Amino acid sequence: MTTRDIQILLDKYFEGQTSLEEEARLKQYFQGEQIDPAFLPFQPLFQFFESERETGLSPSFESKLMTRIKAEKQARIRNMTTYIARIAAVAVIILGIAIVFPKLQRPGNAVANINWDKYEPQTEDEAMAEATAALQLLASKLNGSTKTATHELEQIKKSATIFK
Amino acid sequence: MNTQEFQIQVLPVKDKLFRLAFRMTGSALEAEDLVQEVFLKVWNGRMELESVQNIEAWCMRIAKNLAIDRLRSKHWQTRTDAEPVLEIAHEASPYTLAEQHDTLAHIRQIMNQLPEKHRQVMELRDIEGLSYEEICEVLGMTMPQVKTNLFRARQAVREALLKLTAFKN
C-alpha cells in the first residue's frame, strides 16, 4: 500500500467509514516496521488493539467450567430420579388404598369361592344313605337326651321327698 | 446440544466475553466469574440456542447485562471495595501522560476518558472486530447510534493522539 492509500484509509477510519476488511489492512500496516513518520502518532493505537486482543482467560477455565456443567447435569439427573421415585411412591400408596380400603369397609362380602355341587349325592342310593345316616345320628342324640331327662326327673323326685 | 457441541459452538467466545466483562467491571476475578455465569445460563437455556442467529453477539449481550446488574448490585460494591479497580486518570494532563513510558497505558487512559457508550462501541469494533449489526445487538443500540458513537470516539482518540505527539515533540 502507498502512503496515499494509508492516508485515505486512516481518514476513512477516523470518520467511522471503514469496513472490517479495511480496518484489518490498517492494523496489518501498523504491525509492520516500515511506517511512514507521518503516521507514527497512530501506531500505538493499533498496537493497543492487538495487545488487548491477547488478553484472555486462563487455560484451566474451560476444564473448570465443563466440570461444573457436568456436575450440574448429574445433580439434575439425581434430582429428577428422586422426583420420579417420589411420584411413584405416592402412586403406589394411592393405588394400595384404592384396592385395600373398599374390602376393609365390606368384610361380609368376602365369600370363599367353593363348588358345593361336588358334595351333592349323585344317585338315589347315595341320597338315601346320606339321609339314613343323618336320621340315625338324630335318633342317637335324642335317645341320649331322653335318658338324661329321665335321670334328672328321678333326682328331682328324690329331692322333693326330703321337704315332705 | 450436548457438551461437545457446546464446547465447539459456544466456548470459543470466552475470551471476548472475558475482555468485555473485564473492561466493564475492572476486575479480572469478577470478569472470570461473570463469564462462567454467562456460560451456565447459556447451557441451561441451550434449547433456545436453535433460534439464536448469532451466538457470539447473544452471549456478549448476556455478559453486558450481567455486568450492568453486578455494577448496580450492593454485592459488587462490597467486593470492589476490597479489590480496587483500575484507576482512571480523568484529570491527567497531556504533559503527565507524555511523562509515562508505557505507550499502551497512554492509549488505555485515552480510551478510559471517553464517554462509556463511545468507548464500548469503539472497543467492540476495533478490539473485538464486531460488525455494526453485532454491536447493535450487543449494546441494544440502533445503527445510526452505533455509527455516531463510533465516529465521535475515533475523533476524540485522534485528537488526543495528536496532542500527545505534540507534547512529546
Side-chain angles (χ1 to χ4, degrees):
Chain A
M1 278 198 293
T2 63
T3 305
R4 182 164 166 71
D5 291 336
I6 298 299
Q7 186 62 62
I8 292 167
L9 274 183
L10 263 180
D11 288 343
K12 272 183 81 176
Y13 171 80
F14 284 114
E15 293 291 323
Q17 300 294 325
T18 38
S19 64
L20 283 170
E21 291 74 24
E22 288 171 328
E23 286 161 20
R25 281 161 63 194
L26 273 176
K27 284 168 191 170
Q28 197 180 358
Y29 172 77
F30 282 107
Q31 289 303 309
E33 289 178 359
Q34 291 184 330
I35 295 165
D36 192 290
F39 306 134
L40 279 175
F42 308 114
Q43 189 185 24
L45 180 65
F46 292 95
Q47 287 175 336
F48 170 77
F49 296 151
E50 284 303 313
S51 79
E52 283 290 295
R53 248 193 302 276
E54 286 163 12
T55 310
L57 284 156
S58 62
S60 63
F61 173 83
E62 196 167 322
S63 61
K64 278 194 286 185
L65 175 75
M66 292 317 293
T67 306
R68 194 168 159 189
I69 282 176
K70 282 169 188 167
E72 285 201 2
K73 206 173 159 186
Q74 291 295 323
R76 194 165 282 200
I77 291 168
R78 272 199 302 276
N79 288 343
M80 188 68 84
T81 311
T82 312
Y83 185 67
I84 291 168
R86 283 178 185 167
I87 290 172
V90 170
V92 165
I93 290 167
I94 291 170
L95 199 65
I97 291 169
I99 291 167
V100 173
F101 194 69
K103 288 187 178 177
L104 291 175
Q105 290 284 83
R106 290 174 285 146
N109 291 348
V111 178
N113 188 18
I114 299 167
N115 183 12
W116 292 106
D117 287 348
K118 67 182 182 182
Y119 299 108
E120 290 289 327
Q122 301 299 312
T123 61
E124 281 184 14
D125 293 340
E126 273 183 33
M128 185 61 81
E130 290 280 334
T132 308
L135 290 170
Q136 279 175 348
L137 179 66
L138 179 66
S140 68
K141 294 286 178 189
L142 285 172
N143 285 339
S145 302
T146 310
K147 282 177 187 170
T148 308
T150 308
H151 176 72
E152 294 294 325
L153 276 171
E154 281 173 2
Q155 290 296 316
I156 291 166
K157 282 176 184 171
K158 279 181 189 175
S159 305
T161 53
I162 296 167
F163 297 104
K164 282 182 181 174
Chain B
M1 177 181 275
N2 58 32
T3 50
Q4 205 176 359
E5 288 167 335
F6 182 77
Q7 279 177 287
I8 295 166
Q9 292 175 29
V10 183
L11 287 195
V13 76
K14 67 181 190 297
D15 288 332
K16 282 189 181 185
L17 294 184
F18 174 74
R19 289 193 291 267
L20 177 72
F22 178 64
R23 286 193 295 263
M24 289 185 76
T25 62
S27 158
L29 281 175
E30 191 76 28
E32 185 171 334
D33 189 51
L34 194 143
V35 174
Q36 195 171 66
E37 195 179 337
V38 172
F39 284 132
L40 289 173
K41 262 182 183 280
V42 173
W43 170 254
N44 291 330
R46 60 192 178 281
M47 297 302 184
E48 295 169 37
L49 276 178
E50 286 173 14
S51 61
V52 175
Q53 288 186 340
N54 188 330
I55 292 176
E56 185 179 298
W58 189 60
C59 289
M60 289 186 86
R61 182 163 194 165
I62 295 173
K64 186 210 74 171
N65 291 338
L66 280 176
I68 290 170
D69 288 347
R70 288 192 182 202
L71 288 167
R72 285 175 183 157
S73 75
K74 210 172 179 178
H75 165 71
W76 190 86
Q77 293 290 342
T78 314
R79 282 189 64 170
T80 47
D81 284 346
E83 187 191 336
V85 294
L86 186 69
E87 286 290 324
I88 299 170
H90 287 289
E91 294 175 11
S93 67
Y95 178 77
T96 311
L97 288 173
E99 284 289 298
Q100 295 173 0
H101 297 289
D102 189 347
T103 316
L104 297 181
H106 294 168
I107 306 297
R108 196 186 304 278
Q109 287 199 340
I110 290 170
M111 294 289 286
N112 284 337
Q113 287 174 54
L114 293 173
E116 192 181 349
K117 282 181 182 174
H118 295 186
R119 182 176 56 79
Q120 282 182 332
V121 172
M122 192 168 167
E123 284 169 347
L124 290 178
R125 178 72 179 188
D126 289 329
I127 298 171
E128 307 306 346
L130 265 59
S131 67
Y132 292 129
E133 289 80 9
E134 287 171 324
I135 297 171
C136 289
E137 193 177 337
V138 173
L139 298 179
M141 289 181 183
T142 62
M143 187 68 81
Q145 283 174 326
V146 168
K147 288 188 174 177
T148 306
N149 280 306
L150 185 65
F151 168 76
R152 288 181 183 162
R154 284 178 176 172
Q155 286 294 315
V157 169
R158 181 173 186 253
E159 203 176 310
L161 285 171
L162 291 174
K163 270 186 188 172
L164 186 67
T165 310
F167 271 92
K168 275 183 178 175
N169 296 334

